[in-house]
Amino acid sequence: MSALADVYTIPQEHLDFRDTIRQIAQERIAPRAAEIDERAEYPHDLRRLLAEQDILGLPFEPEHGGTGTGTLMLNMAVEEIAKACASTALILMVQELGTLPIRLFGSDELKDRFLPRCASGEWSPAFALSEPEAGSDPGGMLTRAVPDGDEWVIDGTKNWITNLGIADFYVVFAVTDRDAGHSHGVTAFVVEADRPGFSVGKLEHKLGIRGSPTGQPIFEGVRVPDENRIGDVNEGFKAAMATLDRSRLGVAAQALGIAQGATDYAAAYARERRQFGQPINSFQAIQFKLADMETQCAAGRELLYQACAKIDRGDHDLGKYSAMAKLFCSDVAMRVTVEAVQVLGGYGYVKEYPVERMMRDAKITQIYEGTNEIQRLVIARTLR
């Protein structure tokens, strides 16, 4: 592939939409961020706002009521929202994560039944892969689905599931052939939240992203029709991995937004804060911190946007690039937010200022949708 083939461009209409989202984020979302974190409450009002502005339609094609603007535009939006509030950015991220299996592998009937109501913001999905004993190793899952006539009966408990108690439906991965071997014999299903046997289990009390509920959905003899099956029987692991190859770019964008938000705040603070009779941004120690923070954000953005463009083009190495973007941007988010707290000094350590929240929110980006250790394995396997 020539170097020119890897060039990406951002259409002017995407830049205009990004600017609109940036304005919404700064004027409507940022003022709510501290309260959302403090109360650990899901921001239903901001979800409605995102729906009204067609932002929740970003992951979807026009035939299902979406904008059809692609992965790059979607993650530009995630980045802008995450600058203001990482919990609110996760609302948009899970719209993609929870529907990608249907979009990639679902029947036309499933797509028509679920995607338009997600694109409009009426419904919210969840992606239920991880389990208490199967996090980084999804092949160790215990949740089972057993056929019974033209239905499947699902039993098991998932863990670390975003949108628990909020989602209208869950994409659930369950073992359908225990003898098929590691990472095989898994099938994906759509389970609506109002089906008998489904219940909301323990909710986690988290370090960060406190405005997004996370926990254990429980499936006890939940019956779903075969029409709710996503893709072929025993091919669910392939659907899960294809989903994560794409959706982890949302984590990269969220991490980048957190990092850029912290950099912007620290830079503004350093212009105003005075010590020894002058603004602290006149001291080289602070200047160099801010310079490194901005440089890391810019580098992460180029990698993220290039990876998004690969998804939109359908390049064969999209999995490698999405792993690199997620790895790099999440590590940048942690480094940058720690430095932002340092720039603010004692003020950086108190809740009156947003950088301590940004530092707490940044940590999960190194963990969910595949820990950074797993991302390094994904990347390394492409180099053999």
Side-chain angles (χ1 to χ4, degrees):
M1 181 179 291
S2 70
L4 286 177
D6 282 334
V7 173
Y8 66 86
T9 58
I10 305 175
Q12 185 60 47
E13 57 265 30
H14 287 22
L15 295 174
D16 292 342
F17 196 14
R18 180 203 62 188
D19 291 345
T20 298
I21 295 167
R22 178 177 296 170
Q23 183 177 359
I24 292 168
Q26 294 307 312
E27 294 180 0
R28 303 285 298 278
I29 297 174
R32 292 270 285 113
E35 180 185 24
I36 289 167
D37 175 73
E38 182 67 25
R39 295 186 178 182
E41 289 181 351
Y42 183 86
H44 291 279
D45 58 323
L46 297 183
R47 177 179 167 75
R48 287 192 295 271
L49 173 66
L50 297 180
E52 290 164 2
Q53 299 296 325
D54 290 332
I55 295 170
L56 294 185
L58 283 168
F60 306 100
E61 295 302 319
E63 59 263 33
H64 296 122
T67 61
T69 44
T71 303
L72 179 53
M73 181 66 245
L74 167 66
N75 287 304
M76 290 167 64
V78 170
E79 178 189 350
E80 292 301 327
I81 297 168
K83 288 180 187 177
C85 176
S87 291
T88 304
L90 194 51
I91 295 174
L92 177 56
M93 292 159 60
V94 79
Q95 287 294 107
E96 182 191 36
L97 172 64
T99 57
L100 264 171
I102 300 173
R103 288 163 52 205
L104 294 173
F105 295 93
S107 65
D108 289 341
E109 187 274 335
L110 270 184
K111 293 174 183 177
D112 292 342
R113 182 150 51 107
F114 289 95
L115 299 186
R117 298 179 80 169
C118 290
S120 68
E122 180 185 355
W123 279 357
S124 183
F127 181 83
L129 176 65
S130 296
E131 297 187 2
E133 301 301 324
S136 293
D137 176 20
M141 73 173 61
L142 300 177
T143 297
R144 294 201 58 151
V146 177
D148 183 13
D150 60 355
E151 294 183 316
W152 294 83
V153 183
I154 301 175
D155 287 280
T157 299
K158 296 294 182 175
N159 209 28
W160 318 115
I161 305 307
T162 297
N163 248 13
L164 180 65
I166 299 295
D168 296 279
F169 64 90
Y170 296 75
V171 170
V172 180
F173 296 84
V175 176
T176 45
D177 183 355
R178 182 65 67 191
D179 298 324
H182 190 80
S183 302
H184 298 284
V186 171
T187 306
F189 302 90
V190 178
V191 178
E192 297 92 333
D194 58 0
R195 287 194 176 272
F198 171 79
S199 61
V200 173
K202 182 183 71 169
L203 284 164
E204 304 293 348
H205 298 279
K206 300 179 294 181
L207 175 71
I209 317 288
R210 288 167 46 79
S212 178
T214 304
Q216 291 186 337
I218 300 170
F219 306 88
E220 296 177 301
V222 177
R223 288 181 170 271
V224 297
D226 190 59
E227 303 90 81
N228 279 31
R229 174 171 46 83
I230 301 172
D232 294 333
V233 175
N234 296 333
E235 294 295 324
F237 188 77
K238 180 170 66 176
M241 294 304 102
T243 294
L244 293 173
D245 277 348
R246 293 159 175 80
S247 67
R248 68 170 66 103
L249 290 178
V251 179
Q254 181 189 44
L256 177 60
I258 295 168
Q260 190 65 64
T263 298
D264 293 347
Y265 194 92
Y269 177 90
R271 286 193 294 270
E272 302 299 326
R273 174 68 168 164
R274 298 181 69 85
Q275 292 286 276
F276 305 103
Q278 53 192 310
I280 64 171
N281 70 351
S282 65
F283 301 116
Q284 190 177 74
I286 300 298
Q287 292 172 354
F288 281 12
K289 282 187 187 299
L290 295 173
D292 286 344
M293 292 159 69
E294 182 75 358
T295 300
Q296 291 175 73
C297 288
R301 185 170 297 106
E302 290 301 313
L303 183 53
L304 169 64
Y305 287 15
Q306 183 64 262
C308 289
K310 285 181 174 290
I311 300 288
D312 288 335
R313 290 194 300 261
D315 290 358
H316 72 279
D317 56 350
L318 59 86
K320 171 186 176 182
Y321 272 78
S322 67
M324 291 194 297
K326 193 270 189 187
L327 167 66
F328 188 83
C329 289
S330 59
D331 282 351
V332 163
M334 274 310 300
R335 287 195 299 268
V336 164
T337 54
V338 168
E339 289 289 61
V341 170
Q342 194 70 19
V343 170
L344 269 68
Y347 291 111
Y349 200 67
V350 298
K351 290 183 178 294
E352 184 180 352
Y353 293 81
V355 291
E356 66 85 27
R357 165 173 50 84
M358 293 171 172
M359 184 176 74
R360 288 186 287 107
D361 287 346
K363 183 58 197 175
I364 192 61
T365 66
Q366 294 180 308
I367 298 171
Y368 63 8
E369 293 201 40
T371 65
N372 282 6
E373 289 74 21
I374 293 295
Q375 303 313 316
R376 289 180 170 92
L377 284 176
V378 170
I379 297 160
R381 285 170 183 162
T382 70
L383 303 177
R384 292 177 179 171

